[in-house]
């Protein structure tokens, strides 16, 4: 028997309509590429998104067409999120930190009809001119005063001019909620990048789930600054979730250094922010060096890579809580978030920290299975580990235009994350490692994350990576590759002493390699592939 409830589709346009109607004067503040802060409201966002939708339709775009973006976190990018997706087109966010060849591949593979980009990326887009010949339009996200003259790209359109000429009325189509609304390619550390095609339904459900108290805890009283880029996994869904709850939204633009972030957080009264560990290292180092404090910041969400316990402690000293969360491009991304249950409130602080440093408990909507090599479920005892499989309404079923790359090849109906994890009886998941990053020594697995966390607790170490080095006797042995803090020194013996009191003897890294800088991927994770090559040319 069917229920008698309304079947109203979950659409991105409904978020915008709600924000305009109920939080019309809610503020959106953006640090701009052109310089200075731009301020407007959810009312203005809705109006300009409608104008943009009219402009896109005038360019001849039809339902399902892809609009590429190469842009920072800013108000025009936000208008593209809603104006493109809301009108039945697909907003394809492109990571500008990828190699030129990968970007060219992605634009071609996605079949983008229009490309919109921030001024910063003019040289990058000029380098792609040959690949953009068949696009209907290439749009610079700026005003006439800042329009560049480009010989390589003679027909560039100006975003502000495009939008200015359009009427403020646009009837958002009532789409099937499973219609595609967004596209994001995985960073492609193995093989070609693969496109994850989000739907209105998956994005709206995910946005509702991440606002929950045990996840990002968003409300109309929060001031949110997503540092995680809008060009990667929809900035963890915050551009949808924040207007949904009517919180003030602060967008950092291209300015992600410690001084700029601190100034923005202070001037706008940011209470919640989110990003990868690398960004926080930069901010915390800057704050320490300049003796600064936060006056409004209450909570920071960290994900994308493991947040080391030392980072939790540095934020705690600042009076800021840390929320550790886990996700993937294929999972929209949020699947796990680490918050305590009421029964944990009385635990001693070090036991609480142990739980909070795990990647977290499943967010409702996401189901998890942890299986051994034979596909059998491992006990949820916090010790037994296995591959983590997930399923849920915001998990990818397959990839865009890639029938051969099913996301579910080995476990029908489930997505294999390639993360090796433990789960305890309360549902807390701890990532032991990426499958390919674990070190197999004498038949035993060593977690690179665990050894990196120990390294990060050493006062001389600024950043650390553990990689495997081939070893005749043991198969593989761990090597610590570290960046030291300014003027600090560290010998192999110091390192050994530090590890010996904190882990089993056979897990102590065999070697220490000190480098000036560690390579990161386009999404800010340690690039283990490049680091392995660094210590062992030819591997
Ligand atoms: P991506 O799809 O590029 O965002 O990468 C997803 C992968 O990042 C996951 O499969 C994990 O290996 C890793 N990851 C994400 N969040 C965390 C976290 N909190 N701790 C450890 N690894 C993480």
């Amino acid at each position: 028997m069917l229920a008698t409830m309304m079947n109203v589709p979950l659409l991105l346009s409904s978020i915008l309509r709600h924000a305009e109607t109920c939080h019309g004067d809610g503020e959106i503040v953006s640090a701009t590429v052109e310089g200075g802060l731009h301020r407007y409201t959810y009312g203005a966002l809705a109006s300009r998104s409608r104008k943009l939708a009219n402009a896109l339709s005038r360019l001849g775009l039809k339902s399902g067409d892809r609009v590429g973006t190469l842009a920072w976190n800013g108000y025009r990018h936000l208008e593209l999120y809603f104006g493109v997706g809301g009108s039945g087109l697909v907003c394809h966010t492109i990571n500008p930190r990828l190699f030129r060849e990968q970007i060219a591949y992605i634009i071609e593979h996605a079949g983008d009809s229009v490309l919109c980009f921030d001024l910063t990326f003019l040289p990058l887009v000029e380098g792609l001119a040959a690949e953009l010949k068949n696009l209907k339009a290439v749009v610079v996200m700026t005003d006439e005063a800042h329009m560049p003259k480009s010989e390589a790209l003679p027909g560039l359109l100006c975003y502000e001019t495009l939008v200015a000429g359009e009427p403020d009325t646009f009837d958002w189509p009532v789409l099937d909620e499973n219609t595609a609304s967004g596209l994001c390619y995985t960073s492609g550390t193995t093989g070609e990048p693969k496109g994850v095609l989000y739907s209105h339904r998956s994005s709206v459900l995910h946005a509702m789930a991440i606002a929950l108290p045990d996840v990002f805890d968003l409300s109309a009283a929060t001031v949110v600054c997503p540092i995680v880029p809008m060009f990667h996994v929809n900035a963890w869904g915050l551009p949808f979730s924040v207007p949904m709850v009517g919180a003030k939204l602060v967008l950092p633009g291209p300015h992600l250094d410690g001084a700029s972030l601190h100034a923005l957080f202070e001037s706008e009264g940011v209470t919640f922010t989110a990003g990868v560990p690398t960004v926080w290292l930069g901010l915390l180092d800057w704050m320490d060096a300049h003796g600064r404090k936060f006056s409004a910041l209450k909570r920071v969400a960290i994900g994308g890579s493991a947040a080391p316990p030392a980072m939790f402690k540095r934020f705690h000293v600042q009076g800021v809580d840390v929320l550790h969360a886990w996700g993937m491009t294929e999972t929209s991304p949020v699947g796990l978030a680490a918050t305590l249950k009421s029964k944990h409130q009385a635990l001693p602080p070090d036991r609480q920290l142990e739980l909070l440093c795990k990647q977290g408990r499943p967010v409702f909507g996401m189901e998890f299975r942890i299986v051994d090599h034979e596909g059998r479920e491992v006990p949820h005892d916090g010790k037994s580990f296995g591959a983590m499989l997930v399923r849920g309404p915001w998990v990818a079923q397959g990839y865009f235009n890639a029938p051969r790359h099913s996301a579910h090849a080995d476990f029908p109906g489930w997505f294999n994350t390639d993360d090796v994890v433990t789960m305890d009886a309360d549902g807390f998941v701890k990532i032991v490692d990426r499958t390919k990053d674990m070190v197999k020594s004498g038949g035993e697995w060593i977690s690179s994350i665990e050894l990196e966390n120990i390294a990060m607790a050493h006062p001389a170490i600024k950043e650390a990576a553990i990689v495997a080095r081939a070893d005749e006797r043991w198969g593989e042995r761990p090597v610590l590759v570290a960046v030291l803090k300014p003027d600090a020194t560290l010998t192999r013996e110091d390192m050994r002493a530090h590890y010996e009191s904190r882990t089993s003897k056979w897990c102590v890294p065999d070697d220490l390699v000190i480098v000036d800088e560690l390579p990161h991927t386009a999404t800010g994770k340690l690039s283990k592939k490049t680091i392995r090559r660094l210590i062992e040319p030819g591997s």
Side-chain angles (χ1 to χ4, degrees):
M1 180 168 65
L2 281 180
T4 58
M5 306 309 284
M6 290 187 189
N7 188 8
V8 177
L10 302 171
L11 299 175
L12 295 187
S13 54
S14 57
I15 299 178
L16 194 60
R17 205 175 297 121
H18 174 77
E20 183 179 28
T21 312
C22 303
H23 307 285
D25 64 352
E27 258 192 301
I28 301 170
V29 181
S30 310
T32 65
V33 174
E34 294 89 345
L37 293 181
H38 172 275
R39 289 174 193 277
Y40 72 175
T41 59
Y42 282 118
L45 166 71
S47 161
R48 281 171 52 95
S49 301
R50 287 192 291 268
K51 289 175 174 228
L52 174 66
N54 281 317
L56 294 169
S57 131
R58 204 173 297 280
L59 286 174
L61 298 192
K62 301 261 171 337
S63 170
D65 282 351
R66 272 78 66 205
V67 175
T69 65
L70 273 166
W72 301 108
N73 294 8
Y75 66 102
R76 294 190 184 106
H77 207 177
L78 193 63
E79 291 162 12
L80 283 155
Y81 265 47
F82 286 104
V84 172
S87 55
L89 307 168
V90 178
C91 184
H92 171 206
T93 53
I94 305 167
N95 186 338
R97 295 188 183 129
L98 293 172
F99 296 120
R100 186 210 160 277
E101 287 66 30
Q102 285 177 312
I103 296 178
Y105 170 86
I106 284 174
I107 292 175
E108 216 265 328
H109 187 269
D112 291 338
S113 299
V114 170
L115 178 67
C116 302
F117 69 92
D118 268 339
L119 273 173
T120 321
F121 304 116
L122 179 65
L124 174 64
V125 179
E126 285 183 325
L128 292 164
E131 278 90 356
L132 306 178
K133 289 226 156 56
N134 297 327
L135 267 63
K136 285 196 167 80
V138 181
V139 181
V140 193
M141 294 161 65
T142 192
D143 53 22
E144 284 295 346
H146 294 89
M147 269 305 277
K149 292 208 175 22
S150 169
E151 278 180 25
L153 297 163
L156 286 178
L157 298 181
C158 169
Y159 182 94
E160 287 302 328
T161 311
L162 206 61
V163 168
E166 297 297 334
D168 179 2
T169 47
F170 183 87
D171 286 331
W172 298 112
V174 182
L175 306 161
D176 178 326
E177 63 183 14
N178 290 301
T179 304
S181 57
L183 178 62
C184 179
Y185 280 71
T186 59
S187 30
T189 40
T190 49
E192 295 293 3
K194 294 187 284 263
V196 180
L197 192 59
Y198 307 108
S199 67
H200 286 260
R201 175 185 154 82
S202 70
S203 302
V204 172
L205 286 174
H206 175 264
M208 289 171 85
I210 63 169
L212 286 169
D214 271 353
V215 192
F216 292 161
D217 189 18
L218 303 179
S219 80
T222 321
V223 180
V224 184
C225 183
I227 303 305
V228 47
M230 289 169 70
F231 56 70
H232 183 58
V233 215
N234 298 326
W236 297 353
L238 288 166
F240 301 129
S241 208
V242 176
M244 188 180 266
V245 300
K248 174 174 170 181
L249 181 60
V250 181
L251 299 168
H255 312 294
L256 303 177
D257 58 285
S260 306
L261 290 181
H262 182 259
L264 187 67
F265 288 4
E266 289 302 297
S267 73
E268 299 309 318
V270 171
T271 60
F272 174 76
T273 181
V276 297
T278 323
V279 172
W280 304 131
L281 269 184
L283 175 61
L284 289 165
D285 286 350
W286 184 88
M287 308 246 323
D288 286 352
H290 294 83
R292 298 298 173 86
K293 295 266 171 251
F294 294 115
S295 51
L297 191 66
K298 292 199 177 75
R299 200 154 174 249
V300 51
I302 309 184
S305 303
M311 186 171 281
F312 279 70
K313 289 182 184 150
R314 289 180 76 184
F315 271 114
H316 290 168
V317 168
Q318 288 277 353
V320 175
D321 284 337
V322 174
L323 172 75
H324 200 189
W326 170 95
M328 301 184 76
T329 310
E330 287 90 338
T331 63
S332 293
V334 181
L336 299 165
T339 52
L340 301 178
K341 298 182 178 181
S342 61
K343 68 178 182 184
H344 301 129
Q345 302 300 331
L347 288 176
D350 57 331
R351 271 289 296 136
Q352 290 187 342
L353 184 65
E354 213 175 284
L355 287 173
L356 293 173
C357 284
K358 295 190 179 196
Q359 275 67 20
R361 298 184 278 113
V363 174
F364 170 75
M366 295 284 279
E367 288 176 77
F368 290 75
R369 278 179 66 204
I370 297 148
V371 297
D372 66 14
H373 288 301
E374 268 94 54
R376 284 175 313 214
E377 198 106 11
V378 306
H380 293 178
D381 56 9
K383 292 191 192 80
S384 314
F385 59 83
M388 179 162 73
L389 315 180
V390 294
R391 74 174 177 196
W394 54 86
V395 177
Q397 173 149 274
Y399 294 102
F400 178 59
N401 242 341
R404 285 184 303 120
H405 284 297
S406 163
H408 297 243
D410 308 331
F411 302 93
W414 292 83
F415 174 75
N416 187 350
T417 63
D418 267 338
D419 284 327
V420 178
V421 309
T422 63
M423 187 188 264
D424 70 14
D426 286 316
F428 278 91
V429 169
K430 181 175 177 179
I431 300 213
V432 178
D433 225 331
R434 287 295 276 166
T435 312
K436 58 183 186 312
D437 293 339
M438 290 189 83
V439 182
K440 196 164 194 187
S441 176
E444 297 288 338
W445 292 106
I446 299 177
S447 155
S448 70
I449 294 183
E450 200 175 311
L451 297 191
E452 282 158 9
N453 284 345
I454 295 176
M456 289 301 286
H458 193 286
I461 294 181
K462 182 169 178 228
E463 200 177 10
I466 291 284
V467 285
R469 179 186 273 169
D471 185 276
E472 231 169 74
R473 180 156 177 221
W474 300 104
E476 286 178 351
R477 290 294 302 151
V479 173
L480 170 63
V481 186
V483 179
L484 299 188
K485 289 189 183 150
D487 303 325
T489 52
L490 184 72
T491 62
R492 274 193 192 97
E493 290 63 42
D494 296 336
M495 173 199 75
R496 232 173 252 287
H498 177 70
Y499 271 103
E500 273 168 5
S501 56
R502 290 168 175 85
T503 186
S504 331
K505 217 169 166 146
W506 60 276
C507 295
V508 175
D510 267 14
D511 202 358
L512 165 70
V513 178
I514 293 172
V515 291
D516 290 338
E517 213 181 325
L518 279 167
H520 293 88
T521 67
T523 53
K525 300 178 206 296
L526 286 170
S527 175
K528 294 277 174 98
K529 209 161 70 174
T530 322
I531 300 169
R532 262 181 233 120
R533 262 190 242 125
L534 235 147
I535 63 153
E536 209 161 30
S539 70

